[in-house]
Amino acid sequence: MSPRPKRIRKVSNPPIISGFKPYGVQSGGQEVETVFLLYEEYEALRLCDYEMHNHHQASIIMDVSRPTLTRIYAKARYKVAEAFVKGLQIIIEGGKVYFDSEWFSCSSCRCFFNNPEKQEDIKNCPLCKSTDIINCEKIPEDSTVVWQKCDDTCLCTNCGFEKPHQHGIPCRNEICPDCKIALVRKGTPHGKNN
Amino acid sequence: MKVAITSTGNTIESKLDQRFGRCAYFIIYDTKTKGMEFIPNPNIDAQEGAGPASVQLVASKGVTQIISGEFGIKIKSLLDSLKIQMIIYKEPSKRIKEIIEMLNH
């Protein structure tokens, strides 16, 4: 049986460097071994540890499932730790990814444009210089529907009561104030019917 | 800053070409010097790979923005890594003259 095809991971920016070299190697002179960190692993590290998203949010940004994101992330941390402990160099390359930059649309001339300088924010339309621009990422797309459907919300399957999910507290430990039953995570198979 | 505009002809009266890889002409417009360069697209009859070949052509001219009606799937990531801004402008009736006027605002 052949394995399931891998879902293509969405990476917003390629890293600005292509790797790291260890400093002050004891063995001296010899070529150090290499750990290959994949782009998707770099992105998982960036989203979870630098941008401080939780795994659920990061998985939506990368367009993969939550368990897949956690697997990628665990692998990334193992590789980084391995490089630190053994003094190996890290090269960031490969992986099944596609790069995507933010897209904007201008309301006055109705053109679309992207932002290749990802670190800087765009304020004007490059064509008509109007400031009336909209970030397309925020307009409903397929991925945003997922956001709304399984956003971090605890749901009562009985009366439909909702409250924002608090990280660290499982939804099943929350009690509905009206029905006195345990809540479930909205958008998950448990809370699907509502 | 240099801007590439896809054109259906080699005058400023021509209209914006809705395709990028197989457009008739590239117009390289320099916003500083107001100079213009018309380049006939050599990839117009290419079976495949017209997009990446056209990217190579305009990137070699030092362009930072490209205005066209549509960009193919192969070149979006390519342009992203080259830090060239894509501007999708779906107005087939717009003349090159008018677009250049907009850029000069």
Side-chain angles (χ1 to χ4, degrees):
Chain A
M1 286 237 279
S2 60
R4 298 294 309 156
K6 262 188 187 168
R7 205 175 161 83
I8 303 173
R9 294 93 163 89
K10 181 171 156 185
V11 176
S12 57
N13 306 314
I16 54 169
I17 45 143
S18 52
F20 288 96
K21 254 190 171 170
Y23 164 77
V25 184
Q26 296 280 320
S27 53
Q30 296 159 329
E31 271 292 300
V32 279
E33 278 182 61
T34 307
V35 169
F36 290 99
L37 191 73
L38 304 180
Y39 278 136
E40 64 216 46
E41 290 160 355
Y42 158 80
E43 180 75 353
L45 274 184
R46 189 182 72 85
L47 290 172
C48 295
D49 290 338
Y50 182 71
E51 305 239 317
M52 305 286 242
H53 291 297
N54 61 40
H55 289 192
H56 180 236
Q57 293 164 329
S59 71
I60 292 166
I61 296 170
M62 279 180 76
D63 201 16
V64 291
S65 74
R66 206 278 308 145
T68 303
L69 185 275
T70 303
R71 260 190 328 268
I72 296 169
Y73 178 69
K75 223 171 177 179
R77 292 190 66 151
Y78 177 74
K79 284 186 182 174
V80 171
E82 188 190 17
F84 279 9
V85 172
K86 293 189 184 167
L88 311 177
Q89 65 173 342
I90 301 173
I91 287 180
I92 307 174
E93 65 169 29
K96 199 170 179 184
V97 297
Y98 68 100
F99 294 104
D100 202 4
S101 52
E102 280 186 307
W103 281 84
F104 298 86
S105 73
C106 170
S107 308
S108 82
C109 66
R110 280 178 288 133
C111 70
F112 294 92
F113 52 94
N114 72 337
N115 179 9
E117 294 293 330
K118 285 139 186 166
Q119 271 73 36
E120 292 165 35
D121 284 341
I122 281 195
K123 290 185 185 70
N124 301 84
C125 167
L127 208 56
C128 63
K129 304 289 180 285
S130 152
T131 50
D132 195 8
I133 57 170
I134 306 163
N135 189 336
C136 292
E137 308 273 295
K138 307 239 158 74
I139 306 176
E141 236 182 67
D142 289 354
S143 57
T144 16
V145 179
V146 182
W147 258 123
Q148 290 159 356
K149 232 170 38 190
C150 58
D151 201 0
D152 293 347
T153 311
C154 310
L155 173 83
C156 171
T157 47
N158 193 16
C159 67
F161 167 80
E162 283 177 21
K163 72 183 283 264
H165 177 74
Q166 225 178 332
H167 297 307
I169 302 172
C171 300
R172 61 176 185 278
N173 289 7
E174 304 271 3
I175 304 292
C176 173
D178 300 321
C179 320
K180 310 288 179 217
I181 59 165
L183 303 182
V184 294
R185 177 69 76 96
K186 193 183 179 187
T188 57
H190 314 288
K192 215 176 200 171
N193 300 332
N194 283 279
Chain B
M1 197 174 67
K2 282 184 173 176
V3 185
I5 308 167
T6 58
S7 162
T8 50
N10 60 354
T11 63
I12 54 167
E13 295 293 329
S14 324
K15 285 171 184 163
L16 180 73
D17 203 314
Q18 289 300 295
R19 299 161 304 170
F20 171 73
R22 290 184 178 77
C23 69
Y25 285 88
F26 289 109
I27 296 171
I28 313 285
Y29 177 67
D30 195 320
T31 48
K32 271 206 195 103
T33 61
K34 312 261 185 257
M36 251 182 273
E37 191 184 343
F38 291 82
I39 307 168
N41 187 356
N43 313 309
I44 191 159
D45 292 321
Q47 285 286 315
E48 59 178 293
S54 302
V55 168
Q56 215 161 33
L57 177 71
V58 291
S60 67
K61 300 282 173 190
V63 167
T64 53
Q65 285 180 338
I66 299 175
I67 303 174
S68 185
E70 185 67 67
F71 293 92
I73 193 91
K74 277 186 204 162
I75 54 176
K76 276 181 179 160
S77 54
L78 200 62
L79 289 171
D80 232 22
S81 54
L82 288 168
K83 301 218 166 169
I84 296 175
Q85 187 176 40
M86 291 171 268
I87 303 171
I88 299 177
Y89 195 45
K90 289 199 168 150
E91 298 273 344
S93 57
K94 277 276 181 202
R95 294 181 190 283
I96 301 302
K97 202 170 59 178
E98 293 169 280
I99 292 169
I100 286 172
E101 264 169 39
M102 284 168 85
L103 285 169
N104 285 336
H105 266 299

